[in-house]
């Protein structure tokens, strides 16, 4: 289960603020806007632009970092400095988020390590082996785009971050369906899988070809996330006596809910690097590891149970 699921659920239920990626309050501040206008006029045309391009580091050029992006970054820190000096609350800004990008990279790395451990510990004959492997790769793809988006925010990276996060939630629903119903009713699980794929295709098509509606995207993910969480938690509650390792799944569900509260907090970044979003990303790393541990235990249990049935 992706950490995004809990965040989307909690934000949806709480009705907390505007949808993600809309203009931040810091971007609308008069001091910031005036600074940005002067910086672009001074540095982003003629000799100023040539000077910027000639002194721009290669890694920034490769990521598409423009003169306007540089002005936005400098004006953000100028505005932050003025707010701190006057004792005002520091507003949120959009832009590069190096701590969140690094935390996303670590989440992806943790997923990759746990994927390899899963493959080493679980034989391919386990009934849910291939579903778990597919889930791991979908999650890895989502963390890759999360890393890219927090490194370089563009329309493309924003959409890929959102779409891949939705794919993880939908695949978690499919994984839950396979585990709870699909082993006895494979045709039903297949039908649910096809439905979820069609839903994702329609979801992406609407947001790409019609308009990128942040409100709709939030509602859609909240509904699917709610289904995902309740389904997993309900199954865990019914099987906690018979399967002692399901506490790991319960812990993941509850921890994701608790950690999602970090996204509702608004405080200046610790050391001017670790804001609430970055701390949330960092906190999900051990939760992801715990969920993979649950998948290993459950896959081995199903393998053993399947072998006993065949022997009988």
């Amino acid at each position: 289960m992706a950490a995004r699921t809990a965040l989307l659920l909690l934000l949806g239920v709480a009705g907390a603020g505007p949808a993600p990626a809309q203009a931040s309050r810091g971007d609308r501040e008069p001091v910031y806007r005036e600074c940005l206008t002067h910086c672009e006029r001074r540095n982003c045309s003629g000799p100023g632009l040539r000077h910027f391009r000639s002194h721009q580091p290669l890694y920034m050029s490769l990521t598409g970092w423009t003169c306007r992006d540089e002005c936005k970054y400098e004006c953000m820190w100028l505005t932050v400095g003025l707010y701190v000096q006057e004792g005002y609350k520091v507003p949120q800004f959009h832009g590069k988020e190096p701590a969140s990008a690094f935390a996303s990279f670590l989440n992806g790395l943790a997923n990759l390590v746990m994927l390899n451990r899963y493959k080493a510990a679980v034989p391919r004959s386990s009934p849910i082996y291939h579903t778990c492997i597919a889930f791991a790769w979908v999650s890895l793809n989502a963390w890759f785009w999360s890393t890219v988006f927090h490194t370089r925010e563009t329309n493309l990276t924003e959409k890929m971050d959102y779409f891949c996060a939705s794919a993880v939630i939908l695949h978690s629903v499919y994984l839950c369906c396979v585990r709870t119903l699909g082993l006895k009713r494979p045709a039903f699980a297949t039908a649910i899988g096809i439905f979820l794929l069609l839903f994702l295709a329609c979801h992406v098509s609407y947001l790409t070809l019609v308009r990128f509606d942040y409100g709709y995207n939030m509602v859609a993910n909240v509904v699917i996330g709610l289904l995902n969480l309740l389904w997993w938690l309900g199954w865990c509650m019914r099987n906690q006596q018979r399967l002692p390792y399901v506490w790991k799944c319960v812990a993941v569900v509850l921890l994701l809910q608790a950690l999602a509260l970090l996204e509702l907090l608004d405080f200046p970044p610790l050391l001017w690097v670790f804001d609430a979003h970055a701390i949330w990303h960092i906190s999900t790393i051990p939760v992801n590891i715990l969920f993979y541990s649950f998948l290993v235990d459950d896959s081995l249990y199903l393998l053993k149970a399947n072998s006993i049935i065949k022997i009988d």
Side-chain angles (χ1 to χ4, degrees):
M1 292 178 295
R4 282 294 164 84
T5 306
L7 170 61
L8 290 168
L9 173 62
L10 186 60
L11 291 181
V13 173
Q22 294 175 332
S24 295
R25 185 169 69 88
D27 299 345
R28 301 192 301 267
E29 289 296 316
V31 173
Y32 172 82
R33 302 303 303 176
E34 183 178 357
C35 172
L36 183 61
T37 299
H38 287 302
C39 181
E40 288 182 315
R41 185 182 302 128
R42 183 176 64 253
N43 299 315
C44 297
S45 62
L49 180 60
R50 288 192 293 272
H51 180 270
F52 168 78
R53 289 174 174 171
S54 64
H55 290 79
Q56 185 181 29
L58 178 61
Y59 74 91
M60 296 183 72
S61 176
L62 292 175
T63 59
W65 191 255
T66 65
C67 179
R68 176 174 171 79
D69 293 323
E70 185 69 19
C71 282
K72 291 168 68 176
Y73 188 68
E74 291 182 0
C75 290
M76 176 189 71
W77 283 111
L78 174 66
T79 306
V80 167
L82 291 174
Y83 268 74
V84 172
Q85 181 179 342
E86 297 297 327
Y88 293 118
K89 186 177 181 180
V90 177
Q92 289 285 337
F93 291 87
H94 279 301
K96 291 195 299 183
E97 300 178 72
S100 295
F102 185 61
S104 296
F105 171 77
L106 291 179
N107 271 283
L109 183 61
N111 272 263
L112 181 60
V113 170
M114 295 308 294
L115 167 62
N116 290 329
R117 289 188 179 181
Y118 180 90
K119 293 169 68 175
V122 180
R124 296 172 64 89
S125 54
S126 177
I128 61 171
Y129 176 89
H130 296 290
T131 307
C132 291
I133 294 297
F135 174 78
W137 281 110
V138 172
S139 298
L140 273 170
N141 180 61
W143 285 118
F144 168 79
W145 283 107
S146 177
T147 303
V148 173
F149 172 62
H150 288 108
T151 302
R152 183 72 176 94
E153 183 178 336
T154 67
N155 287 333
L156 173 62
T157 59
E158 177 189 45
K159 288 181 172 60
M160 292 303 297
D161 181 47
Y162 283 10
F163 296 160
C164 294
S166 297
V168 175
I169 301 173
L170 290 169
H171 201 288
S172 181
V173 173
Y174 177 68
L175 174 60
C176 186
C177 177
V178 170
R179 177 59 184 93
T180 59
L181 300 173
L183 297 179
K184 294 182 179 179
R185 303 177 182 85
F188 177 77
T190 300
I192 291 296
I194 293 174
F195 170 78
L196 293 175
L197 279 174
L198 290 175
F199 174 82
L200 180 62
C202 293
H203 180 72
V204 170
S205 297
Y206 173 75
L207 293 175
T208 303
L209 302 177
V210 181
R211 70 189 185 98
F212 199 88
D213 188 332
Y214 294 102
Y216 157 74
N217 183 65
M218 174 65 73
V219 171
N221 280 286
V222 165
V223 171
I224 299 299
L226 179 62
L227 171 65
N228 183 49
L229 289 178
L230 293 179
W231 198 342
W232 273 114
L233 195 57
W235 176 81
C236 290
M237 293 297 99
R238 291 194 305 272
N239 292 276
Q240 59 180 335
Q241 298 297 328
R242 187 171 61 90
L243 306 174
Y245 57 82
V246 299
W247 70 266
K248 297 179 180 180
C249 187
V250 175
V252 168
V253 171
L254 298 180
L255 282 172
L256 290 179
Q257 291 295 308
L259 292 174
L261 292 173
L262 288 170
E263 281 291 278
L264 303 181
L265 301 178
D266 185 15
F267 54 83
L270 303 177
L271 304 177
W272 297 111
V273 175
F274 300 100
D275 61 6
H277 186 69
I279 295 174
W280 169 67
H281 270 312
I282 294 171
S283 302
T284 60
I285 296 173
V287 178
N288 283 319
I289 294 174
L290 184 61
F291 186 62
Y292 276 100
S293 177
F294 159 75
L295 292 180
V296 169
D297 291 341
D298 198 45
S299 297
L300 292 176
Y301 164 80
L302 289 173
L303 180 64
K304 181 179 179 181
N306 199 42
S307 300
I308 293 175
I309 292 175
K310 287 182 178 179
I311 292 175
D312 293 342

